């Protein structure tokens, strides 16, 4: 018993000694003892810091919160929290707080904070990674030079690097982090991340067991990101994406739900390597029973009757219990342009409406569904906010939107507003159509809603200063196009930076010459909203072109052979309300003069002057979602260009009695025409016959864009053109015909003919020729009828405000005829190929295509084409 007491007393003495801290003090030269069993309160008399190299003592004291005059308890939670607060900064390897000294009265303590700072990193490096990957990793890691290095930083950075490579399919990636002292900088280290990516993990095979009633093709297609190596997935990525795997399993179950198997479930999924870097995934499915709709009832609907709602739902008694399709028709997300009930309510202002399908009764294989509708009250538009228009005037953006304060909310009007802003050309179309490009802010308390459009300005003006060698001669081009010009601010001195901008007007001036062979000058102006109140556009253009037969490369200067074209055009377009407000009616009046002197290269005659006074009526409908890379919608146009029928209005009486010849009799005597039908135009000179040209020109063009998967777009396009005459005796017009074949670029032949591209063939090689007594060469281009059909599969590579790049595959066919009586829409020249398009705001659209013509044995089958500008 005594021995036990002795041991207990000794233990208590040892513990008491362990819980006492002696701190050497300067006051009176005596030691300061802190007894943990007897906490004591002190007033902080001062704080000093030791051990710092990078951080200043004031910074550490401020973070610690240990300020002069503060009352603290030692020992106690005050000191503990100070240490924790400093430790959480992750700047230090060790932190301690101690009493440095006491005042004479021993009620004031002077504290010392001792730290050992972590080494700072002078350079972060990577090994085992590509240069492009290194930049992406640096952006993700956001590691700064001079930052601290710790286990936390090492582990966090390694996890980010592993996650980055797993997204690329490298699931066996290893990251080794090493550090070494920097011999050039004191107390600094260099940290290197060595990455061993390993082999990319791809899915080779996916199997489905228990799926007896749903086709395997549908199951494979339902999984969007998890694809195996079968042929139908040829264009899909086969890498295993862990972040998308769970979502694809839900999509797999949705495929069964769509077939009526509401109880379908994945019993288990097994994943294993069948060879290095190649996975096999086995799904075991329990389909369950197949169900059918029985009774569908509606409750809570007062705005629309049950019959109206059922017409949109399109589900009848006895139909397969397809939950997926039902939800698409209730809430949207179905096929393009497919209407849904939620949108029906929102288009009438019922933004707060809710629809809840409830399985009311399940009996056998039949399901009764009750649609519970909470309509709420109509929402009125309150504030329409536009952000990001730093250059474009706000009124220009506001006139494009269909959502106006005080109107009832409409989902269709909201979507149309997004489309109109994206199509303006002044803003990034990808940004406005993404989730961050807009915000709908409902306020159920007062039944209002605010809409915010977040636009991103992009460079829209283009400056062209170029020189090049082509056609054995040097060509210089100077041009400028201001696509956001403002005449309203023309006299505002502060707006000239360098020109007044902000009203979405277009002003373009272009000059091109090589000094002798070719000279061209053009200017155009367009105002999309004439007078700024209604969507009525005004377009004006003025141009002059001169082309000679001079070649400096061969020291040939020939000014006796030339062609001059000059003219003016003005048109007004008006957006219609019927059949819908996508239609635009455009009217244009134009005048052109063609002056030819010994120009025996392209047209029906080679010397003379022709005037072309025409009126154009065009009806178009453009519902594409954007200009550069449309994913959905259509672009359809019909136009008719007319000149006065001069030959039908000619009088052969009075002073014109002896002007028009009919022919000669058997004795060679001249016979004069008595009416316009008897005039023999072949007896006239080209100047007499074609001084005023006449024609009627018909054109139909249609393009439809369909989004297949993601950003993969199918474009189908068809077009037809016909240049007709009023009088068969007068014949076809020598100008305004068609030239088909090649890249569609006019080169120097800017006016006089419409250039139609057909890739895979040489320029104009599909255009027929005819003979003429008015042309010294005897032949000229005589394309008066054409058709063309195109199918393109497009996929974007880059979709950014600075540039848009997409690749394409195309199938194309078309042909050209001299006379409408020879027209055969099935007699086409076919081609196929690949291409790429690059859009740069300062330059425009550039492209290159390679085409293979299947029906051109003379000129070869393989052709490269370079494209500048949008081709139709």
């Amino acid at each position: 018993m005594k021995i036990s007491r002795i041991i207990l007393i000794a233990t208590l003495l040892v513990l008491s000694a362990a819980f006492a801290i002696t701190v050497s003090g300067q006051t009176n030269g005596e030691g300061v003892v802190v007894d943990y069993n007897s906490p004591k309160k002190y007033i902080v008399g001062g704080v000093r810091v030791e051990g710092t190299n990078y951080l200043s003592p004031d910074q550490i004291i401020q973070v610690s919160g240990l300020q002069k005059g503060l009352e603290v308890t030692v020992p106690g939670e005050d000191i503990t929290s100070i240490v924790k607060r400093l430790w959480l900064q992750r700047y230090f390897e060790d932190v301690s707080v101690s009493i440095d000294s006491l005042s004479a009265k021993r009620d004031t303590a002077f504290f010392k904070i001792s730290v050992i700072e972590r080494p700072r990193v002078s350079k972060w490096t990577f090994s085992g990674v590509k240069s492009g990957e290194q930049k992406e990793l640096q952006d993700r890691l956001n590691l700064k030079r001079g930052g601290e290095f710790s286990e936390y930083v090492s582990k966090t950075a390694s996890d980010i690097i592993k996650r980055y490579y797993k997204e690329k399919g490298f699931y066996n990636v290893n990251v080794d982090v090493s550090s070494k002292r920097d011999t050039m900088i004191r107390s600094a280290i260099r940290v290197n991340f060595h990455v061993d990516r390993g082999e990319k993990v791809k899915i080779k095979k996916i199997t489905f067991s228990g799926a007896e009633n749903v086709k395997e093709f549908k199951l494979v297609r339902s999984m969007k990101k998890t694809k195996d190596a079968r042929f139908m997935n040829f264009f899909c990525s086969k890498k295993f994406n862990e972040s998308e795997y769970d979502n694809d399993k839900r999509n797999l179950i949705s495929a069964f739900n769509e077939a009526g198997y509401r109880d379908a479930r994945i019993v288990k999924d097994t994943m294993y390597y069948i060879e290095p870097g190649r996975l096999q995934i086995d799904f075991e499915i329990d389909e369950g029973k197949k169900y059918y709709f029985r009774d569908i009832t509606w409750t809570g609907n007062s705005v629309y009757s049950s019959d109206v709602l059922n017409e949109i739902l399109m589900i009848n008694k006895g139909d397969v219990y397809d939950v997926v399709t039902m939800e698409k028709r209730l809430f949207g997300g179905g096929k393009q342009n497919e209407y849904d009930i939620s949108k029906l309510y929102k288009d009438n202002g019922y933004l707060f409406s809710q629809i809840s399908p409830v399985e009311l009764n399940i009996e056998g294989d039949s399901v009764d569904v009750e649609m519970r509708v909470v309509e709420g009250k109509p929402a009125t538009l309150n504030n329409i906010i536009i952000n990001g228009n730093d250059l474009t005037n706000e009124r220009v953006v506001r006139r494009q939107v269909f959502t106006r304060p005080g109107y009832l909310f409409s989902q269709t009007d909201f979507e149309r507003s997004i489309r109109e802003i994206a199509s303006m050309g002044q803003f990034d179309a990808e940004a406005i159509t993404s989730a961050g490009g807009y915000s709908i802010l409902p306020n159920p308390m007062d039944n209002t809603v605010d809409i915010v459009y977040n636009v991103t300005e992009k460079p829209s003006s283009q400056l062209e200063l170029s020189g090049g060698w082509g056609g054995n001669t040097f060509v210089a081009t100077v041009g400028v196009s201001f696509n956001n010009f403002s005449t309203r601010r023309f006299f505002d001195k502060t707006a000239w930076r360098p020109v007044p901008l902000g009203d979405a007007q277009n002003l373009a001036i272009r000059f091109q010459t090589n000094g002798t062979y070719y000279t061209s000058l053009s200017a155009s102006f367009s105002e999309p909203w004439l007078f700024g109140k209604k969507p009525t556009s005004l377009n004006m253009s003025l141009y002059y072109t001169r082309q000679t037969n001079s070649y400096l490369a061969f020291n040939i200067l020939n000014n006796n052979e030339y062609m001059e074209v000059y003219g003016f055009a003005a048109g007004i377009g008006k957006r219609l309300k019927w059949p819908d407000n996508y239609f635009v009616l455009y009217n244009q009046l134009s005048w052109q003069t063609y002056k030819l002197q010994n120009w025996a290269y392209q047209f029906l005659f080679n010397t003379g002057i022709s005037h072309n006074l025409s009126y154009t009526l065009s009806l178009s409908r453009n519902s594409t979602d954007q200009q550069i890379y449309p994913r959905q919608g259509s672009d359809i146009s019909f136009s008719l260009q007319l000149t006065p029928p001069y030959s039908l209005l000619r009088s052969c009486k009075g002073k014109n009695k002896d002007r028009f010849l009919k022919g000669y009799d058997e004795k060679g005597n001249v016979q004069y025409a008595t009416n316009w039908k008897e005039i023999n135009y072949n007896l006239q000179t080209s100047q007499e016959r074609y001084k005023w040209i006449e024609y009627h020109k018909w054109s139909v063009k249609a393009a439809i864009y369909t989004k297949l998967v993601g950003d993969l777009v199918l474009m189908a396009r068809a077009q037809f053109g016909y240049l007709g005459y009023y009088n068969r005796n007068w014949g076809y017009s020598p100008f305004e015909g068609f030239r088909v074949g090649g890249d569609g670029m006019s080169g120097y032949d800017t006016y006089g003919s419409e250039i139609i591209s057909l890739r895979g063939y040489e320029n104009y090689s599909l255009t027929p020729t005819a003979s003429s007594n008015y042309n010294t060469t005897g032949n000229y281009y005589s394309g008066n009828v054409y058709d063309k059909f195109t199918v393109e599969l497009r996929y974007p590579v880059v979709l950014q405000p600075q540039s848009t790049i997409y690749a394409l595959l195309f199938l194309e066919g078309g042909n050209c005829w001299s006379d409408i009586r020879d027209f055969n829409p099935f007699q086409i020249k076919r081609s196929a190929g690949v291409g790429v398009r690059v859009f740069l705001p300062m330059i425009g659209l550039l492209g290159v295509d390679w085409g293979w013509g299947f029906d051109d044995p003379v000129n070869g089958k393989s052709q490269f084409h370079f494209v500048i500008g949008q081709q139709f």
Side-chain angles (χ1 to χ4, degrees):
M1 194 71 178
K2 291 182 180 181
I3 296 175
S4 301
R5 289 180 180 176
I6 294 173
I7 294 174
L8 178 60
I9 294 172
T11 303
L12 291 174
L13 291 174
V14 172
L15 290 174
S16 299
F19 281 94
I21 297 179
T22 303
V23 182
S24 60
Q26 301 301 319
T27 305
N28 299 325
E30 298 177 355
V32 180
V33 177
V34 177
D35 189 354
Y36 276 83
N37 292 323
S38 302
K40 187 176 181 180
K41 293 184 178 181
Y42 295 96
I43 302 297
V44 179
V47 181
R48 70 183 183 91
V49 179
E50 67 176 15
T52 60
N53 292 315
Y54 299 102
L55 297 174
S56 68
D58 291 339
Q59 285 179 301
I60 296 176
I61 293 172
Q62 185 176 7
V63 171
S64 70
L66 192 62
Q67 302 295 332
K68 184 177 181 180
L70 184 69
E71 185 180 73
V72 296
T73 302
V74 181
E77 288 296 326
D78 295 335
I79 302 301
T80 303
S81 62
I82 290 171
V83 174
K84 286 183 179 180
R85 196 177 302 124
L86 292 172
W87 183 258
L88 288 174
Q89 303 303 311
R90 297 197 299 272
Y91 293 139
F92 312 107
E93 291 183 345
D94 187 36
V95 178
S96 66
V97 179
S98 60
I99 297 177
D100 198 19
S101 62
L102 295 175
S103 65
K105 296 182 178 180
R106 305 183 71 84
D107 59 351
T108 300
F110 296 86
F111 288 86
K112 178 178 67 176
I113 300 176
S114 301
V115 297
I116 299 177
E117 289 183 316
R118 296 186 187 278
R120 296 303 173 98
V121 181
S122 60
K123 190 174 184 180
W124 306 89
T125 59
F126 299 86
S127 58
V129 302
K130 299 178 181 179
S131 57
E133 295 175 341
Q134 180 174 330
K135 186 178 185 306
E136 292 182 12
L137 287 173
Q138 288 173 339
D139 292 339
R140 289 199 181 195
L141 294 172
N142 196 27
L143 296 173
K144 307 290 186 179
R145 183 179 179 181
E148 79 284 353
F149 182 68
S150 64
E151 284 296 325
Y152 174 82
V153 174
S154 175
K155 185 179 185 308
T156 302
S158 298
D159 291 343
I160 293 174
I161 294 173
K162 289 180 180 179
R163 195 180 309 123
Y164 169 79
Y165 280 102
K166 284 182 179 180
E167 291 174 1
K168 293 179 172 289
F170 297 95
Y171 277 83
N172 298 320
V173 60
N174 288 316
V175 180
D176 181 29
V177 185
S178 60
S179 63
K180 63 179 181 180
R181 291 289 175 181
D182 192 326
T183 57
M184 304 297 294
I185 302 175
R186 185 173 62 89
S187 301
I189 59 173
R190 295 188 176 191
V191 178
N192 180 69
F193 297 97
H194 178 73
V195 180
D196 181 8
R197 300 188 306 176
E199 192 172 3
K200 181 178 285 190
V201 177
K202 294 185 177 181
I203 304 171
K204 187 173 184 179
K205 188 176 182 181
I206 299 176
T207 64
F208 306 93
S209 62
E212 299 176 356
N213 299 294
V214 181
K215 293 182 179 180
E216 187 170 312
F217 170 82
K218 187 174 182 179
L219 299 179
V220 172
R221 191 178 61 178
S222 68
M223 295 190 293
K224 307 302 181 185
K225 299 295 184 181
T226 306
K227 302 289 186 180
D228 61 7
R230 66 187 73 200
F231 181 76
M232 64 175 290
N233 297 328
F234 182 80
F235 293 103
C236 301
S237 174
K238 316 302 185 303
K239 70 180 181 181
F240 177 69
N241 193 330
E242 186 177 16
S243 61
E244 296 289 342
Y245 182 61
D246 288 338
N247 189 46
D248 273 340
K249 288 197 291 184
R250 287 189 289 270
N251 291 336
L252 180 62
I253 294 300
S254 294
F256 287 97
N257 297 154
E258 199 170 355
Y261 297 92
R262 67 179 291 274
D263 300 329
R265 64 188 183 92
I266 299 175
V267 178
K268 66 176 180 178
D269 56 306
T270 308
M271 191 183 308
Y272 52 92
Y273 286 100
I274 55 176
E275 58 184 75
R278 297 296 180 267
L279 285 175
Q280 177 167 328
I281 303 176
D282 298 329
F283 289 102
E284 184 178 334
I285 310 294
D286 179 13
E287 289 183 331
K289 186 191 298 184
K290 189 172 184 177
Y291 290 84
Y292 301 87
F293 283 102
R294 190 166 63 180
D295 295 327
I296 298 177
T297 57
W298 296 84
T299 62
N301 56 305
S302 61
V303 178
Y304 298 103
S305 66
S306 298
D307 292 338
V308 171
L309 299 178
N310 280 326
E311 286 181 6
I312 299 176
L313 190 63
M314 292 187 295
I315 297 177
N316 300 314
K317 186 175 182 178
D319 288 352
V320 172
Y321 188 65
D322 181 357
V323 179
V324 177
T325 302
M326 179 184 70
E327 291 181 348
K328 288 178 181 179
R329 292 173 184 172
L330 286 174
F331 311 113
K335 294 182 180 180
Q336 184 177 316
N337 298 326
E338 193 174 58
Y339 214 53
D340 59 82
I341 293 175
S342 177
K343 190 173 183 179
L344 175 69
Y345 271 98
K346 290 179 179 179
D347 277 349
N348 202 17
Y350 290 89
L351 177 62
F352 308 112
S353 61
Q354 297 179 0
I355 305 172
S356 302
V358 179
E359 294 177 346
L360 203 62
N361 185 30
I362 301 176
E363 185 175 336
D365 62 351
S366 301
V367 181
D368 295 333
V369 180
E370 182 179 76
M371 304 294 181
R372 298 176 181 176
V373 182
V374 179
E375 294 177 334
K377 294 183 179 180
T380 304
L381 295 172
N382 186 20
N383 296 314
I384 307 300
I385 303 169
I386 298 171
N387 294 325
N389 55 315
D390 301 325
L391 180 63
T392 305
N393 293 326
E394 185 167 318
R395 64 181 183 84
V396 173
V397 187
R398 287 191 178 277
R399 71 191 185 191
Q400 296 295 131
V401 301
F402 286 71
T403 52
R404 308 288 173 84
Y407 286 20
L408 286 178
F409 176 83
S410 170
Q411 182 70 22
T412 298
D413 287 347
F414 168 71
E415 293 173 358
R416 177 67 184 277
S417 300
I418 295 293
R419 182 257 178 195
E420 291 297 322
I421 295 175
S423 300
M424 287 180 64
Q426 277 73 45
F427 306 111
D428 179 18
E430 297 299 322
I432 189 64
T433 55
S434 64
Y438 54 85
S439 299
I440 299 177
L441 308 174
N443 187 359
M445 299 298 295
D446 57 2
N447 297 310
T448 62
V449 57
D450 296 339
I451 297 180
V452 181
Y453 298 103
N454 299 311
V455 299
T456 303
E457 296 269 10
K458 70 174 185 179
S460 56
S461 298
Q462 299 173 8
L463 174 64
E464 184 179 6
L465 294 171
S466 63
W469 185 266
N472 295 315
T473 185
F474 180 80
V475 181
T477 303
V478 178
V480 63
S481 176
F482 301 105
N483 296 326
N484 200 3
F485 193 72
S486 174
T487 55
R488 186 177 57 88
R489 305 177 63 196
F490 192 85
F491 297 102
D492 184 0
K493 295 181 180 180
T494 61
W496 287 84
R497 297 179 180 177
V499 294
L501 299 173
D503 283 349
Q505 299 168 342
N506 178 271
L507 176 65
I509 301 174
R510 191 173 190 268
F511 176 74
Q512 186 178 43
T513 185
N514 69 354
T516 56
Y517 177 66
Y518 179 77
T519 300
S520 174
L521 176 63
S522 63
S524 64
F525 173 79
S526 65
E527 164 59 79
W529 283 63
L530 190 61
F531 307 122
K533 294 183 178 180
K534 292 184 178 181
T536 300
S537 62
L538 171 67
N539 298 275
M540 295 185 293
S541 62
L542 182 69
Y543 47 87
Y544 168 79
T545 298
R546 177 182 172 87
Q547 187 176 347
T548 71
N549 194 26
S550 299
Y551 291 92
L552 288 181
F554 301 104
N555 200 24
I556 298 175
L557 183 61
N558 190 348
N559 290 323
N560 294 324
E561 299 179 6
Y562 64 87
M563 169 188 173
E564 288 183 345
V565 182
Y566 48 89
F568 173 79
I572 292 180
K574 179 178 177 59
R575 188 165 68 193
L576 305 179
K577 296 181 180 180
W578 186 89
D580 61 35
N581 54 18
Y582 287 105
F583 280 88
V584 174
L585 183 65
Y586 186 75
N587 300 269
Q588 177 178 283
L589 188 65
S590 63
W591 162 73
Q592 283 178 313
T593 294
Y594 299 93
K595 185 177 181 181
L596 278 64
Q597 179 68 38
N598 299 319
W599 194 254
Y601 300 100
Q602 302 147 358
F603 301 109
L604 192 147
F605 66 92
N606 56 12
T607 299
I609 297 177
S610 290
H611 303 288
N612 180 9
L613 178 64
S614 66
Y615 166 74
T616 302
L617 177 67
S618 175
L619 181 65
S620 63
R621 184 184 188 275
N622 187 346
S623 62
T624 56
D625 56 347
Q626 57 172 286
Q627 292 180 341
I628 305 303
Y629 189 77
R631 295 177 176 83
Q632 60 185 12
S634 61
D635 187 1
I636 303 171
S637 66
F638 166 78
S639 67
L640 174 60
Q641 187 175 0
L642 302 167
T643 64
Y646 302 108
S647 65
L648 305 182
L649 302 176
R650 288 180 177 134
S651 174
C652 297
K653 298 180 181 180
K655 63 180 181 179
N656 293 326
K657 180 179 180 180
D658 301 332
R659 181 178 175 187
F660 300 105
L661 298 177
K662 178 180 179 181
Y664 300 91
D665 60 13
E666 296 177 354
K667 297 181 180 181
N669 298 320
V670 175
Q671 291 183 323
Y672 293 99
T674 60
N675 58 65
W676 62 268
K677 295 181 180 179
E678 295 181 349
I679 298 175
N680 188 344
Y681 289 99
N682 291 327
L683 299 178
Q684 293 182 346
T685 64
S686 61
Q687 183 61 53
E688 293 174 332
R689 185 172 183 176
Y690 299 118
K691 181 178 181 180
W692 291 94
I693 62 174
E694 61 178 51
Y695 58 87
H696 51 90
K697 186 175 182 180
W698 306 75
S699 178
V700 179
K701 300 177 181 179
I704 299 176
Y705 301 87
T706 305
K707 183 167 64 173
L708 300 178
V709 179
D711 289 327
L712 183 65
V713 175
L714 178 68
M715 187 276 294
R717 185 165 56 202
Q719 54 191 107
F720 167 81
Y722 168 55
L723 180 69
Y725 50 75
Y726 299 109
N727 185 347
R728 179 172 290 277
N729 293 333
W730 190 86
Y732 287 104
S733 168
F735 303 102
E736 299 302 323
F738 308 102
R739 299 187 199 176
V740 179
D743 50 31
M745 296 176 61
S746 60
Y748 294 129
D749 306 323
T750 307
Y751 303 102
S753 298
E754 185 175 344
I755 311 300
I756 308 299
S757 69
L758 208 157
R759 294 163 288 188
Y761 299 91
E762 290 188 354
N763 287 355
Y764 317 149
S765 62
L766 302 182
T767 308
T769 58
S771 59
S772 171
N773 295 327
Y774 300 126
N775 194 310
T776 55
T777 63
N779 293 313
Y780 67 96
Y781 288 119
S782 61
N784 297 311
V785 187
Y786 86 96
D787 64 2
K788 178 185 172 183
F789 307 94
T790 304
V791 175
E792 283 186 359
L793 194 64
R794 300 177 173 182
Y795 190 79
V797 179
V798 176
L799 292 175
Q800 298 292 338
Q802 297 80 9
S803 63
T804 298
I805 303 174
Y806 64 88
L808 59 90
L809 302 173
F810 69 85
L811 297 174
E812 207 157 61
N815 209 345
C816 189
W817 297 266
S818 296
D819 195 278
I820 188 65
R821 293 171 294 184
D822 301 326
F823 172 67
N824 184 349
F826 302 103
Q827 187 184 9
I828 61 175
K829 307 296 183 181
R830 302 159 300 162
S831 67
V834 298
V836 64
R837 296 290 182 272
V838 179
F839 177 80
L840 301 174
M842 289 296 293
I843 299 175
L845 188 66
L846 306 175
V848 60
D849 294 320
W850 173 84
W852 181 274
F854 296 102
D855 304 303
D856 189 9
V858 177
N859 298 314
K861 297 183 177 181
S862 177
Q863 297 286 336
F864 278 96
H865 305 286
F866 295 93
V867 179
I868 299 177
Q870 189 78 20
Q871 302 290 314
F872 197 100

